[in-house]
Amino acid sequence: MSFTGFRPVGGLTACATALAFWPVAASADVTPAELWESWQAYGAASGQTLSASGQSQADGRLVLRDVTADMAHQGGRMHSEIAEIVMTDRGDGTVAITVSPDYEITVTGTDRDGAAFELKLDAQLEGMSMIASGDPDSTTYALSADAFSITTASATRAGQAAQFDLAATVTGIAGTYAMDSAEGGLFRSDLAAAGMTFDLDTTEPGQGGTTAIAAEYDDISIAAAGSAAALAGGVDPAALLGGRLELGGNFTQGGGSFSVDMRAGADRLGMTVHSAGGSSSSALAGAELTQTGRGEGLDVVVTDTRLRQSELRFGIDRLSYDLALPVAPTDAPGPFSAQLELDGVKLSEATWAMVDPQSALPHDPAALRIDLGGMARVTEDLSDPAAYAGPVAPFEPVSIDLRELRLELAGTTLTGEGAVSFDATDLRSYAGMPAPLGAVDLRLDGSTMLTENLVTLGILPRDQLVFAQIILGMFAKPVEGQDALKSRIEDRKSVV
């Protein structure tokens, strides 16, 4: 079940989009008039049009009234209105900025079903302070606020009222926001917050199904840097993926929870994740995309009323992933890598009772580590949907190195390593895929114990045990003197 009434705006939810009218800093001078001019210039560079219906200036104080900001996003526009912005020369080369505490945001567009929508949001700033300092080419804004909140005022889809009830609050905000006019405009931000809450309730158009999303986190920090043009809601995706713009960010949190609950009739599917802390980062630079993520002390509960045991619960002591891959079309292949690690994966005893009612399997924590590398070539513009319409994928692997595979589960350990290259001239052997050449070596420790436990569980009938062992023997060899099997999977000229 999915809600189709509204979609993310420019890659961000409507809540995050509202931050676009947090007073946007620019390459600014230290006088209020030049500061306002630079806001408008930098807004244009990042896809915004800033204007004021009235303004007055006296005694080093510039008052802007009925300020509006307009920005295109994929599928529509965003319009913000703020009653008053006051810029005051402090007499020491800096400018103090105050903003009306309440303002409105309107997001319009079409959803993925082609229906027009309009979302009106109320935003509120409490106890905000902002000081601009620097020179005309490089300006830093020191900002703080007791709280920033945003709530839904109204929502319509296809001319009818729709449910899109959003309430989000960030508290204890402090940090800096810096702008540089070099290279068409660069930005850098470093913000921290004591905590945040997020609640969103939606109804599936025409179906009646509901979705509720909630999050609450403490000790938040957000750092970002990149090209001003990358902030534009209507930015050309090809410019981002083609290496012509740069954008990166990092997010950390000291602990909290996230939940999603979907209901349709008598059916319910939901998930709740509690975390002791975590972080994520992403960057687009040149022709490469990098992403990382870390999580600690995860407690996950999955609810599905269609299952015999409607609640599944498990914990993960540590989760991490790292990804780096080329994203711009090039003639020469580029390196890529991917790592995934799960440590201390523990099922609750109630969940074990469902999958292993006879306690035949060891209930030791599971672990997984995968480390991949290699070379790949991007053959098409990945932002163009037509690139995925053909029989050949736009991402062409040249070689893959399995540097490490390790899975510890139910008393067994599977390990592996190997390397495979791909022959792009042979697209017939594997139905349009480049033919692989290489080998992967695998080893399974605890294989005999595993098959015996499967018999105990009733998954493998005892009268078929010998047959199963014969099948295993066709693909693997026993390790002498050990309860282990080893196997080599090798492809030589389309012969496995």
Side-chain angles (χ1 to χ4, degrees):
M1 180 177 62
S2 63
F3 181 74
T4 60
F6 301 93
R7 67 177 181 180
V9 178
L12 303 176
T13 63
C15 175
T17 303
L19 289 172
F21 204 5
W22 180 285
V24 179
S27 167
D29 205 341
V30 293
T31 69
E34 291 174 329
L35 185 64
W36 171 235
E37 290 176 3
S38 66
W39 278 25
Q40 292 176 300
Y42 192 84
S46 59
Q48 289 193 62
T49 300
L50 297 176
S51 62
S53 64
Q55 64 182 62
S56 60
Q57 186 170 2
D59 300 324
R61 186 170 179 263
L62 174 64
V63 180
L64 304 167
R65 297 181 181 86
D66 298 326
V67 181
T68 62
D70 287 281
M71 182 173 68
H73 65 81
Q74 295 178 7
R77 300 195 64 83
M78 186 184 74
H79 175 80
S80 305
E81 298 182 2
I82 191 166
E84 185 177 82
I85 297 176
V86 179
M87 301 179 179
T88 304
D89 190 334
R90 303 176 75 208
D92 60 357
T94 64
V95 174
I97 303 163
T98 60
V99 179
S100 296
D102 303 298
Y103 58 93
E104 299 177 350
I105 302 164
T106 302
V107 182
T108 58
T110 55
D111 64 19
R112 60 174 176 262
D113 293 330
F117 70 83
E118 180 183 78
L119 175 64
K120 292 188 175 183
L121 304 168
D122 291 331
Q124 184 175 53
L125 279 167
E126 299 179 20
M128 192 204 83
S129 170
M130 178 179 283
I131 305 296
S133 62
D135 57 47
D137 295 324
S138 181
T139 307
T140 298
Y141 293 73
L143 60 90
S144 64
D146 295 334
F148 171 69
S149 61
I150 185 168
T151 57
T152 297
S154 64
T156 61
R157 179 181 184 272
Q160 302 295 320
Q163 184 185 15
F164 191 90
D165 298 332
L166 171 67
T169 301
V170 184
T171 59
I173 305 167
T176 60
Y177 194 88
M179 305 305 307
D180 195 312
S181 61
E183 301 179 22
L186 303 174
F187 77 95
R188 183 181 69 259
S189 65
D190 191 353
L191 301 173
M196 65 84 69
T197 60
F198 178 93
D199 292 280
L200 175 63
D201 296 315
T202 66
T203 299
E204 184 80 15
Q207 299 183 23
T210 63
T211 299
I213 301 173
E216 183 174 356
Y217 290 103
D218 298 322
D219 300 327
I220 298 167
S221 67
I222 303 173
S227 308
L231 299 178
V235 65
D236 180 7
L240 281 172
L241 297 180
R244 300 194 296 276
L245 299 175
E246 294 189 358
L247 183 64
N250 182 71
F251 171 82
T252 64
Q253 49 90 4
S257 63
F258 171 84
S259 67
V260 57
D261 186 281
M262 297 182 290
R263 301 176 185 239
D267 295 332
R268 179 190 175 197
L269 177 63
M271 180 177 68
T272 300
V273 180
H274 293 273
S275 168
S279 65
S280 63
S281 65
S282 180
L284 270 169
E288 184 180 57
L289 167 69
T290 59
Q291 292 186 329
T292 66
R294 304 287 185 270
E296 297 180 352
L298 300 174
D299 182 29
V300 183
V301 179
V302 179
T303 302
D304 190 342
T305 56
R306 297 167 298 180
L307 300 177
R308 178 172 58 87
Q309 177 73 31
S310 62
E311 183 175 287
L312 307 177
R313 186 167 191 163
F314 61 93
I316 304 174
D317 289 343
R318 181 176 179 274
L319 176 152
S320 67
Y321 67 87
D322 296 88
L323 176 69
L325 70 159
V327 292
T330 56
D331 294 331
F336 75 89
S337 62
Q339 294 86 36
L340 173 65
E341 186 169 359
L342 301 172
D343 188 46
V345 181
K346 300 178 288 288
L347 296 181
S348 67
E349 286 305 314
T351 303
W352 269 119
M354 182 182 69
V355 299
D356 181 22
Q358 301 183 48
S359 297
L361 301 173
H363 292 188
D364 301 331
L368 170 66
R369 176 170 175 76
I370 302 175
D371 186 355
L372 295 172
M375 302 290 288
R377 181 185 296 108
V378 178
T379 59
E380 302 285 346
D381 176 5
L382 297 181
S383 66
D384 184 359
Y388 306 91
V392 180
F395 192 82
E396 180 182 286
V398 176
S399 64
I400 297 178
D401 298 325
L402 178 59
R403 297 187 284 238
E404 182 181 4
L405 167 64
R406 185 176 183 86
L407 172 64
E408 300 174 11
L409 178 65
T412 64
T413 300
L414 174 66
T415 56
E417 60 180 11
V420 177
S421 61
F422 295 87
D423 182 3
T425 65
D426 182 0
L427 301 179
R428 300 181 60 185
S429 299
Y430 290 88
M433 295 292 294
L437 297 171
V440 175
D441 294 305
L442 301 173
R443 174 177 171 134
L444 178 64
D445 288 276
S447 56
T448 301
M449 180 185 66
L450 176 62
T451 55
E452 289 291 346
N453 288 336
L454 292 178
V455 170
T456 302
L457 286 171
I459 297 176
L460 178 65
R462 182 165 294 278
D463 58 1
Q464 296 182 18
L465 176 59
V466 174
F467 177 73
Q469 291 172 334
I470 293 174
I471 295 298
L472 280 174
M474 296 174 61
F475 296 96
K477 297 180 179 180
V479 179
E480 187 175 353
Q482 302 179 48
D483 179 15
L485 295 172
K486 62 180 182 180
S487 176
R488 165 169 279 228
I489 302 174
E490 186 173 12
D491 192 301
R492 295 177 295 181
K493 297 297 182 182
S494 303
V495 178
V496 179

